[in-house]
Amino acid sequence: DAGVTQSPTHLIKTRGQHVTLRCSPISGHKSVSWYQQVLGQGPQFIFQYYEKEERGRGNFPDRFSARQFPNYSSELNVNALLLGDSALYLCASSLASGGFSYEQYFGPGTRLTVT
Amino acid sequence: AQSVTQLDSHVSVSEGTPVLLRCNYSSSYSPSLFWYVQHPNKGLQLLLKYTSAATLVKGINGFEAEFKKSETSFHLTKPSAHMSDAAEYFCVVSVGGSQGNLIFGKGTKLSVKP
């Protein structure tokens, strides 16, 4: 079975530009979450979507936005890129939102470098 | 608010010796706790999870963790380290409820010496 897939694998952008990252969840999973992992730190929660609705938002500026499509895939958009946005962006999928046993499966990530 | 603190940023052991990675948590209610592993240039892999069933949780690759409510700890152990265990390990607490996002610790880098 295919796991969580993310594209692109690597990306280099210039300050001020816009970027779109894509994620396809495991088949049957309806929830997608996005995390930012800065070098040397643990991942930080950005967004969670379930059934195309935003269910959670972390402490990130409005330059960050996301959406989920009818096939449950998701996009993360970042506007007006800053050097500090350079990070590994991780997507995770799960069967449902919240619940007693909340298990997420992570993709390999997209490495974004802002110059 | 929920949080986790990984007490060691770097742990070094010799192959064949026990591994102990320490984690303390803070939660206003009974938490769901996880350990994830991240090998270089690879995604995060779930090692094990605690969801208020048995307090001793067994995971993959010989790892296990014990939930101790009185000590608010969830330490990860393995009796005998292998070279392939060298990686970054994250202790994680789930916010749960309608949001269900994960809160990660800062990670512990495990080095295994031959």
Side-chain angles (χ1 to χ4, degrees):
Chain A
D1 286 342
V4 177
T5 59
Q6 293 186 242
S7 63
T9 306
H10 294 87
L11 202 53
I12 299 175
K13 290 285 190 178
T14 304
R15 278 177 297 176
Q17 285 188 318
H18 163 91
V19 69
T20 298
L21 311 180
R22 295 178 175 82
C23 171
S24 292
I26 292 171
S27 178
H29 285 194
K30 298 183 178 181
S31 179
V32 169
S33 297
W34 287 95
Y35 294 81
Q36 180 195 66
Q37 186 178 17
V38 174
L39 197 62
Q41 298 291 323
Q44 277 197 292
F45 172 72
I46 309 175
F47 286 111
Q48 185 200 20
Y49 276 77
Y50 176 68
E51 290 280 17
K52 303 184 290 296
E53 292 188 1
E54 182 182 302
R55 289 298 186 93
R57 173 187 285 255
N59 188 24
F60 280 81
D62 292 343
R63 299 184 296 107
F64 289 76
S65 64
R67 56 179 175 168
Q68 187 176 32
F69 300 99
N71 66 354
Y72 302 111
S73 67
S74 178
E75 284 183 353
L76 176 70
N77 295 283
V78 186
N79 293 322
L81 285 167
L82 303 174
L83 294 178
D85 295 331
S86 296
L88 180 67
Y89 288 85
L90 295 163
C91 174
S93 77
S94 65
L95 279 170
S97 167
F100 190 69
S101 175
Y102 189 69
E103 186 169 328
Q104 297 189 32
Y105 297 84
F106 284 82
T110 294
R111 173 73 63 186
L112 172 65
T113 302
V114 182
T115 63
Chain B
Q2 286 78 21
S3 66
V4 288
T5 302
Q6 292 183 245
L7 300 174
D8 306 293
S9 59
H10 191 192
V11 170
S12 181
V13 301
S14 297
E15 192 174 21
T17 64
V19 175
L20 171 63
L21 305 183
R22 299 183 295 164
C23 172
N24 287 347
Y25 70 91
S26 173
S27 178
S28 53
Y29 52 86
S30 184
S32 292
L33 292 162
F34 308 81
W35 276 96
Y36 280 84
V37 61
Q38 188 174 36
H39 287 92
N41 300 316
K42 292 195 175 180
L44 288 156
Q45 182 183 20
L46 179 66
L47 278 178
L48 50 80
K49 63 181 180 182
Y50 166 78
T51 54
S52 76
T55 56
L56 183 62
V57 181
K58 294 188 183 298
I60 62 172
N61 300 334
F63 285 95
E64 62 181 39
E66 186 171 7
F67 175 75
K68 292 186 176 180
K69 186 175 181 179
S70 60
E71 298 176 10
T72 62
S73 68
F74 190 57
H75 301 334
L76 181 70
T77 61
K78 183 173 181 178
S80 176
H82 293 170
M83 295 297 293
S84 60
D85 294 329
E88 188 93 23
Y89 291 80
F90 293 97
C91 182
V92 182
V93 64
S94 171
V95 172
S98 61
Q99 290 194 333
N101 71 72
L102 301 179
I103 298 173
F104 284 75
K106 292 187 175 181
T108 298
K109 183 176 181 179
L110 176 64
S111 299
V112 182
K113 297 174 290 187

